């Protein structure tokens, strides 16, 4: 046992305690076996002496990753706003076009109510197939 490391000894001690108590959760199964495999690799979490050695290096890398992530986020946001602005502009053009068409039909309706035939209505009716071209042509 002298060749074993401190971590290995503590893992063996924990396993023997868990076996005597019936496991951590009171039952053994597939999840219990996986848990013991995980503990053999070492403890979870940060190691005590590691932080002082890599602190500056980790902070610089972390800050650079954060800056890069912020750049990418701003780029995505800019693209999203450009897309939305184009979408709004397109919808506004559609609304204007439909309003013009509605205004035209409103004026046509007023002329029809007064008993006059509006300009362009015959062409529209022929286009729709309501009036046959033969009837429109004189013999």
């Amino acid at each position: 046992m002298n060749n074993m490391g401190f971590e290995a000894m503590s893992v063996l001690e924990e396993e023997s305690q868990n076996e005597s108590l019936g496991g951590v959760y009171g039952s053994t199964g597939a999840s219990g076996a996986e848990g013991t495999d995980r503990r053999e690799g070492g403890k979870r979490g940060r190691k005590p002496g590691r932080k002082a050695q890599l602190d500056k290096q980790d902070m610089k890398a972390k800050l650079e990753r954060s800056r890069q992530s912020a750049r990418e986020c701003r780029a995505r946001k800019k693209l999203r706003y450009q897309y939305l602005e184009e979408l709004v502009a397109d919808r506004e053009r559609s609304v204007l076009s439909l309003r013009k068409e509605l205004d035209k039909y409103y004026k046509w309706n007023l002329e029809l109510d007064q008993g006059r035939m509006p300009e362009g209505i015959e062409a529209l009716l022929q286009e729709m197939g309501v009036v046959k071209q033969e009837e429109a042509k004189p013999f």
Side-chain angles (χ1 to χ4, degrees), residues 5-124:
F6 178 74
E7 288 182 26
M9 288 175 54
S10 64
V11 168
L12 287 175
E13 188 178 326
E14 278 185 38
E15 287 178 359
S16 66
Q17 286 177 355
N18 285 341
E19 287 175 6
S20 66
L21 296 174
V24 176
Y25 300 107
S27 66
T28 57
S31 62
E34 290 173 8
T36 58
D37 292 341
R38 186 178 73 228
R39 280 194 220 117
E40 289 178 7
K43 293 183 180 179
R44 295 174 68 180
R46 295 181 182 212
K47 307 292 185 272
R50 187 172 178 219
K51 187 175 182 182
Q53 296 170 357
L54 302 175
D55 195 28
K56 288 184 181 178
Q57 189 177 7
D58 284 345
M59 283 302 288
K60 286 182 181 179
K62 186 176 179 180
L63 284 172
E64 185 55 38
R65 285 193 307 268
S66 177
R67 288 183 188 119
Q68 182 63 31
S69 177
R71 278 187 222 109
E72 291 171 0
C73 181
R74 286 190 295 270
R76 286 191 305 268
K77 185 177 179 180
K78 185 178 179 180
L79 286 173
R80 185 171 50 248
Y81 275 90
Q82 285 176 349
Y83 167 74
L84 290 172
E85 285 174 355
E86 289 174 8
L87 193 64
V88 167
D90 185 44
R91 298 284 165 90
E92 286 176 347
R93 283 191 296 270
S94 296
V95 167
L96 288 174
S97 172
L98 290 171
R99 282 191 178 156
K100 286 180 182 178
E101 188 176 354
L102 181 63
D103 189 43
K104 179 178 74 171
Y105 292 143
Y106 181 75
K107 288 178 182 176
W108 281 7
N109 189 29
L110 289 176
E111 287 189 35
L112 287 171
D113 285 344
Q114 294 174 357
R116 293 181 292 194
M117 190 68 132
E119 285 185 30
I121 198 167
E122 289 182 26
L124 178 69

